[in-house]
């Protein structure tokens, strides 16, 4: 089973994530474009538990990929990465159903922890029941989401 699929046109980012996930014994598969991921989703019998995607790539963007993946696999956690972090792209990612928004450059250990949380989330979506009272009212402890919250407060 491919637990995590990585899609980024930057080979060095894919390499860093591959090494970090391998070190943690998390299975992965890497792609250079959104089109490659969409083609693989059409032919695979084992979709990923988590998708980690860059926003800006040749061809279709990560946000377009997010939209298409969410239409077919609504419960799959999708982590959106970008080197061009701004409020508009963060809001668009979350409105599109992103699990989390990861600005580059990122701390590799934090990225792996985020992937672990997403894998855990996909396990919950796969049929395990959660106690609803344990869910906090406001989600989003990641630094990127805190940035979004602070920006919203400034604009209001």
């Amino acid at each position: 089973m491919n637990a995590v699929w990585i899609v980024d046109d930057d080979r060095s980012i894919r390499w860093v994530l591959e090494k970090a996930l391998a070190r943690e014994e998390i299975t992965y598969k890497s792609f250079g474009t959104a089109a490659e991921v969409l083609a693989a989703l059409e032919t695979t019998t084992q979709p990923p538990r988590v998708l980690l995607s860059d926003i800006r790539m040749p061809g279709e963007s990560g946000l377009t990929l997010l939209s298409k993946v969410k239409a077919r696999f609504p419960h799959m956690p999708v982590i959106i990465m970008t080197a061009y972090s701004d409020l508009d792209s963060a809001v668009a990612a979350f409105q599109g159903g992103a699990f989390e928004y990861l600005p580059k450059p990122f701390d590799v250990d934090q990225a792996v922890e985020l992937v672990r949380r997403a894998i855990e989330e996909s396990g919950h979506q796969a049929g395990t029941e959660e106690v609803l009272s344990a869910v906090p009212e406001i989600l989003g402890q990641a630094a990127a989401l805190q940035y979004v919250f602070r920006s919203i407060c400034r604009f209001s």
Side-chain angles (χ1 to χ4, degrees), residues 85-154:
S85 184
D86 61 38
L87 183 60
D88 290 339
S89 63
V91 169
F94 284 114
Q95 286 178 339
F99 176 77
E100 193 58 80
Y101 184 82
L102 184 63
K104 297 175 188 174
F106 50 80
D107 178 81
V108 175
D109 293 331
Q110 286 178 333
V112 169
E113 182 56 34
L114 182 58
V115 167
R116 285 195 180 284
R117 281 191 7 234
I119 290 171
E120 184 178 308
E121 176 72 18
S122 72
H124 291 302
Q125 295 295 335
T128 55
E129 293 185 22
E130 278 188 75
V131 178
L132 293 178
S133 62
V135 177
E137 293 210 13
I138 297 179
L139 299 175
Q141 303 291 330
L145 193 52
Q146 293 300 315
Y147 170 76
V148 170
F149 292 150
R150 283 191 301 275
S151 298
I152 290 170
C153 288
R154 280 195 306 265

Side-chain angles (χ1 to χ4, degrees), residues 2-77:
N2 295 311
V4 178
W5 284 10
I6 304 163
V7 57
D8 197 314
D9 59 316
D10 185 339
R11 177 68 191 125
S12 62
I13 296 292
R14 291 194 317 262
W15 184 84
V16 166
L17 289 168
E18 289 166 0
K19 296 305 174 199
L21 294 175
R23 181 186 71 221
E24 298 296 320
E25 298 179 355
I26 298 173
T27 58
Y28 64 86
K29 189 171 183 177
S30 292
F31 303 89
T33 67
E36 291 174 12
V37 172
L38 293 170
L41 285 171
E42 291 297 322
T43 60
T44 188
T45 58
Q46 290 287 333
R49 291 184 66 187
V50 175
L51 180 65
L52 194 62
S53 176
D54 190 18
I55 286 183
R56 292 189 185 181
M57 297 179 286
E60 292 186 284
S61 74
L63 293 177
T64 302
L65 176 61
L66 171 66
S67 172
K68 290 180 178 182
V69 166
K70 284 298 190 176
R72 187 162 173 208
F73 304 99
H75 298 297
M76 180 188 302

